[in-house]
Amino acid sequence: MGTVTLGVSIAVPEPYGSLLQERRASFGDPAAYGIPTHVTLLPPTEAEAADLPAIEAHLAQIAAGSRPFPMRLAGTGTFRPLSPVVFVQIVEGASACSWLQKRVRDTSGPLVRELQFPYHPHVTVAHDIAEQAMDRAYEELSGYEAAWTCDSFALYEQGPDSVWRKINEFPFGAGGGAPAVPAQGGSSMDEPSLRP
């Protein structure tokens, strides 16, 4: 069956997702339209295609034991000069993202991996483009704000065309009934409850 390149992330819902994707494209980032706007829980990871059922079961178990939590974005940050990235900061929900990503990469599961850099949840708006364009992204989005209730995460696969596509979504709670945050559309603004 071969290998696949997978990622796990929290989608940034509409209208925020498309707006940030369009802004990323406007800064000249060629990857903008191949990557739904997101907060990474598992960076691109090679896996055996045959392991997908076990991976999905692992993610479903994590989601079932999680609860919706508030997410709020505000302002910009950068990983330069260490890494050529400008991002929108997560000012509420970062600890819940950290908790989730640890569970996703847990040594008891099928997605164990070391990270290249310490985990720092964020929403990338420019990556590996000209310094002047990175500066522009940093400045123009410095006043950006968005908020929503995060109630799911999703598994994505990178295609041969480098485009990331959603394979499956995992809503929080044991089968919950709360609307999930889709890849690039819809949002839930209900009163949030905190994760366990």
Side-chain angles (χ1 to χ4, degrees), residues 6 8 16-17 19 26 33 55 60 73 83 90 92 111 118 122 130 141-143 150 152 161 170 177-178 181 183 189:
L6 304 175
V8 178
Y16 318 120
L19 184 146
S26 78
Y33 291 119
I55 289 167
L73 311 179
S83 180
I90 297 173
E92 187 175 9
L111 292 171
H122 63 280
L141 291 171
S142 63
C150 176
S152 70
D161 56 1
F170 302 92
V181 178
M189 296 303 288

Side-chain angles (χ1 to χ4, degrees), residues 9-24 32-39 123-124 144 148 152 154 156 163-166 169 180-187:
S9 64
I10 293 168
V12 174
E14 296 301 349
Y16 318 120
S18 289
L19 184 146
L20 289 176
Q21 194 172 46
E22 287 163 14
R23 292 309 309 270
R24 184 170 179 171
Y33 291 119
I35 306 172
T37 309
H38 69 283
V39 178
V123 178
T124 298
Y144 183 80
W148 71 94
S152 70
Y156 291 81
V163 173
W164 287 90
R165 294 175 179 87
K166 183 169 66 171
E169 187 162 5
V181 178
Q184 286 292 105
S187 73

Side-chain angles (χ1 to χ4, degrees), residues 135-157:
D135 292 342
R136 208 176 113 228
Y138 186 87
E139 289 160 16
E140 290 184 14
L141 291 171
S142 63
Y144 183 80
E145 290 190 26
W148 71 94
T149 297
C150 176
D151 53 15
S152 70
F153 59 76
L155 175 66
Y156 291 81
E157 179 180 351

Side-chain angles (χ1 to χ4, degrees), residues 76-114:
T76 49
T78 183
F79 294 132
R80 295 182 294 173
L82 193 61
S83 180
V85 173
V86 170
F87 56 86
V88 172
Q89 298 190 69
I90 297 173
V91 295
E92 187 175 9
S95 61
C97 292
S98 294
W99 182 83
L100 284 169
Q101 66 88 26
K102 282 180 192 168
R103 299 282 315 277
V104 168
R105 296 185 303 106
D106 191 86
T107 54
S108 66
L111 292 171
V112 180
R113 66 160 287 173
E114 291 296 316

